[in-house]
Amino acid sequence: MRLFLKRKILVLLITLALIILIGLSTRPLESNDTRQTVSKKQGKQTPVTLTPTMYTPPSFNYSSRYWSAMYQDITNISISVPPMPGVHSYLPHLKANPDNILPEFLLSKGRQNVSFVIGIPSIKRPIDMYLFNTLKSLINGLNETERGETLLIVCITEPADVAYERGVIEEIRRRFPLEVSEGLLEVMTPRASFYPDLGRLKPSLGDSPTRVRWRSKQNLDYAFLMFHAWHRGRYYLQLEDDIQASPGYVNSMKQAIAENYGDWFLLQFSTLGFIGRLFKSEDVPKVMEFLLMFFSQKPCDWLLGDFLHVRMCSHGDKWSLCLHKIQSVARPITPSLFQHEGFHSSLEGTINKLKDSGFGVNVSQPSHNPPLSVVITTLQTYLDKDIYTAYNGDGIFWASSPKIGDVIDFVFDQPANLHRIVITSGNADHEGDILRDASIEVLPEKQLDRNMTQGPRSFSDQERLANKKRANYLPQLDPEYDTFYTLGACDYNGSIDVQVPQQLGRIWIVRIVFHSSSPTWLIINKIEMRVGKH
């Protein structure tokens, strides 16, 4: 009996021990740091590391559709494309009725795809009326072929005086019936609701409220006309309603376009205001938008200057360099093709006596030089009389005494088809500051036979320095293989007048190199790089 009890007690103890061990082994870990048990053996504690079981998430097919639905559920946001900025951004009053940008009246045959669209905004003047003489001058200056490739658009911008607008339109019908019927001449008027409240404009430039309203409306008039005209032809010419056109002006513009290679933005056929500005049609919306953006801030010609400054000039550029960059894309063309004839301005009480002194002048050569990427010189410039001033025709280049090996490199923005180079030096006050012992060299676009001229020569330290600086502007040219060709040298008066041989082709760089040190300073007063046929 005792033996039976002992066995039963032993079985119970073993069962209890097993239950305790099972409970310990299935107890959850409190943290990753709770991972050791202790056993006593020979008085030492030996830690035992336990590796916890890592959680494995269930497998899902995360398709784009799943994520899209999940994103919508979580954020409750719907994404839509915002409206693009445009005319309504600058004239927000048009948002309520976008049709207000359409003409109130349009007399048109729908002529499209012409060579030249000529925009003529017209406004009521307190005394004289110049519009009809302007139209007569423009129409008489066209031959039969040019009549078919030209579109004249008159925009009468007096929406507050409907009787005046209708009177002008009927007079245009009466005086120019053939031009209207064949689609050469169009007339449009803006709606009064196109304009914002011009009486609430903030003053600027110290102008009177009357002048601020006048010039702001003029900017809006020009922008309205551009908006409806730019897509009708290849080029857009901006005029005013009080000009006289030179006979054959369309052919002259074609010739100027043919002679002005490269990335030009604007050809200027008059020196006055906004008259005679010719744009490529695809560039007109940029100008239109700029006029709308700042219509109440400045006059239109000032805004055009600001536009070109932002487009071309870098931060920290000297004004002479900035001006050269602007003139490289906004190129003045001589002689002027359009003369200002108005005496009484559309701003009441204002007299405008401005005349274009270059109109009708017989100029055999263009007054502008080819656009430059940079001028690199090792000479020390005196004050603001830098080389760009002379190259632009706005003044002189004045430098300290040239040393042997010094250079002046005119680096074009693309190869120029030069046929003659003329450079003169000195002036009446400093007759001795002339070119001395200097030659003129050119680097052609293509490497040609070195036997054509004197052949290669070793470069001076200054020339190597100029070649190194040039790499920032013409990295495609390797100075190791430069072959400059000598065209001639300065005469005893310090002048250079050389022809560029046709076989040299187009020219990348024109270089003046000094072969000895000069005892005097240097003044260059004229630089002509003539481009065209040989």
Side-chain angles (χ1 to χ4, degrees):
M1 187 68 175
R2 290 180 181 176
L3 181 61
F4 174 76
L5 290 174
K6 289 180 178 179
R7 288 179 178 177
K8 200 165 186 177
I9 292 171
L10 181 60
V11 171
L12 290 173
L13 291 173
I14 292 173
T15 302
L16 181 61
L18 289 173
I19 292 172
I20 293 172
L21 290 174
I22 292 172
L24 290 174
S25 64
T26 58
R27 197 168 110 193
L29 296 174
E30 295 180 0
S31 68
N32 289 339
D33 293 333
T34 309
R35 56 176 180 263
Q36 67 178 10
T37 60
V38 180
S39 65
K40 292 184 179 181
K41 185 177 181 181
Q42 298 179 355
K44 293 183 180 180
Q45 294 182 347
T46 303
V48 178
T49 302
L50 302 178
T51 303
T53 302
M54 300 300 293
Y55 171 76
T56 302
S59 177
F60 290 102
N61 180 18
Y62 294 108
S63 65
S64 59
R65 183 175 181 182
Y66 168 82
W67 278 109
S68 177
M70 184 170 139
Y71 180 81
Q72 294 288 345
D73 290 342
I74 293 174
T75 62
N76 195 26
I77 295 176
S78 60
I79 300 176
S80 61
V81 178
M84 297 297 290
V87 175
H88 298 159
S89 301
Y90 314 117
L91 302 176
H93 69 283
L94 296 179
K95 291 181 179 179
N97 189 354
D99 288 346
N100 286 336
I101 198 162
L102 299 177
E104 179 72 21
F105 178 87
L106 178 61
L107 176 64
S108 171
K109 293 293 183 178
R111 181 177 285 195
Q112 297 276 356
N113 301 319
V114 298
S115 296
F116 297 96
V117 178
I118 302 177
I120 310 162
S122 182
I123 192 172
K124 183 178 181 180
R125 296 172 187 267
I127 299 179
D128 294 326
M129 176 68 166
Y130 304 101
L131 174 62
F132 304 126
N133 288 336
T134 294
L135 291 176
K136 184 178 179 180
S137 174
L138 290 169
I139 293 170
N140 289 344
L142 301 174
N143 60 35
E144 286 301 316
T145 301
E146 293 164 349
R147 287 173 71 98
E149 58 182 358
T150 304
L151 174 60
L152 306 176
I153 303 180
V154 176
C155 185
I156 306 171
T157 60
E158 286 291 347
D161 192 341
V162 177
Y164 171 82
E165 289 185 337
R166 289 178 178 176
V168 174
I169 293 169
E170 290 306 315
E171 189 65 16
I172 290 176
R173 284 181 186 269
R174 188 185 69 82
R175 294 192 183 209
F176 308 101
L178 177 61
E179 289 73 23
V180 171
S181 63
E182 69 182 16
L184 169 61
L185 179 58
E186 294 187 1
V187 185
M188 68 172 63
T189 64
R191 303 183 182 189
S193 52
F194 166 73
Y195 298 91
D197 186 353
L198 299 178
R200 302 180 63 181
L201 299 176
K202 295 181 179 179
S204 60
L205 304 179
D207 286 341
S208 67
T210 300
R211 188 171 185 85
V212 171
R213 287 194 300 270
W214 174 79
R215 58 175 170 80
S216 298
K217 180 180 176 297
Q218 185 182 57
N219 288 332
L220 294 172
D221 294 344
Y222 284 22
F224 178 87
L225 178 52
M226 291 177 176
F227 181 83
H228 291 284
W230 73 271
H231 61 288
R232 308 282 295 278
R234 187 175 181 184
Y235 299 100
Y236 177 80
L237 177 69
Q238 181 72 49
L239 291 180
E240 294 183 3
D241 66 347
D242 56 348
I243 61 97
Q244 175 189 350
S246 175
Y249 65 92
V250 167
N251 183 64
S252 297
M253 290 192 297
K254 289 180 179 179
Q255 183 178 357
I257 292 170
E259 292 176 351
N260 279 270
Y261 65 96
D263 187 24
W264 61 269
F265 180 83
L266 168 66
L267 299 183
Q268 304 179 80
F269 293 101
S270 173
T271 62
L272 302 178
F274 218 85
I275 298 174
R277 280 15 185 191
L278 182 76
F279 303 91
K280 300 171 187 174
S281 290
E282 62 266 24
D283 291 327
V284 175
K286 304 181 183 72
V287 178
M288 178 204 72
E289 193 165 0
F290 202 78
L291 291 176
L292 289 174
M293 193 181 306
F294 302 105
F295 75 91
S296 64
Q297 304 301 314
K298 293 181 180 180
C300 54
D301 50 338
W302 291 19
L303 289 177
L304 181 59
D306 289 344
F307 178 91
L308 293 168
H309 188 277
V310 171
R311 180 184 174 98
M312 298 305 301
C313 299
S314 302
H315 180 69
D317 278 350
K318 290 183 178 180
W319 172 241
S320 57
L321 174 57
C322 179
L323 181 62
H324 171 75
K325 289 181 177 180
I326 290 173
Q327 290 183 353
S328 71
V329 297
R331 303 176 186 176
I333 307 298
T334 55
S336 298
L337 299 181
F338 307 100
Q339 178 63 284
H340 179 255
E341 293 292 332
F343 185 72
H344 295 282
S345 171
S346 57
L347 179 60
E348 189 170 0
T350 303
I351 301 298
N352 190 345
K353 298 181 179 180
L354 292 176
K355 293 289 184 180
D356 191 330
S357 59
F359 178 75
V361 177
N362 185 16
V363 180
S364 60
Q365 295 293 339
S367 62
H368 60 278
N369 290 318
L372 296 169
S373 285
V374 68
V375 180
I376 300 172
T377 179
T378 56
L379 300 179
Q380 183 66 43
T381 302
Y382 177 65
L383 298 178
D384 59 347
K385 313 295 184 182
D386 65 24
I387 191 66
Y388 294 101
T389 304
Y391 194 82
N392 295 336
D394 296 324
I396 65 172
F397 170 55
W398 202 357
S400 58
S401 302
K403 302 295 188 295
I404 183 173
D406 277 334
V407 295
I408 304 173
D409 280 0
F410 301 90
V411 183
F412 302 121
D413 64 353
Q414 58 181 301
N417 186 28
L418 300 181
H419 72 91
R420 188 180 179 189
I421 301 172
V422 179
I423 300 174
T424 60
S425 61
N427 64 15
D429 296 327
H430 303 274
E431 296 180 354
D433 291 359
I434 62 174
L435 287 165
R436 303 174 187 274
D437 196 15
S439 61
I440 189 83
E441 303 179 350
V442 293
L443 180 66
E445 178 183 16
K446 297 179 180 179
Q447 294 298 312
L448 305 175
D449 183 5
R450 292 183 176 182
N451 294 324
M452 289 178 57
T453 58
Q454 300 173 0
R457 59 174 177 77
S458 59
F459 289 135
S460 67
D461 291 341
Q462 296 95 314
E463 287 177 299
R464 282 191 287 270
L465 177 62
N467 293 344
K468 185 177 180 180
K469 290 182 178 180
R470 187 190 74 207
N472 295 326
Y473 303 92
L474 295 178
Q476 66 269 41
L477 296 185
D478 188 345
E480 294 295 328
Y481 298 96
D482 278 353
T483 304
F484 279 87
Y485 296 88
T486 302
L487 300 180
C490 62
D491 59 23
Y492 66 93
N493 291 320
S495 298
I496 295 174
D497 189 343
V498 296
Q499 301 289 331
V500 181
Q502 186 174 4
Q503 58 266 37
L504 288 181
R506 299 192 303 173
I507 304 301
W508 266 123
I509 299 172
V510 172
R511 167 173 285 180
I512 300 175
V513 59
F514 297 85
H515 302 290
S516 63
S517 298
S518 174
T520 63
W521 282 29
L522 171 64
I523 291 176
I524 294 180
N525 57 62
K526 179 181 179 181
I527 301 173
E528 288 186 11
M529 308 281 186
R530 298 184 180 176
V531 179
K533 297 180 181 180
H534 289 74

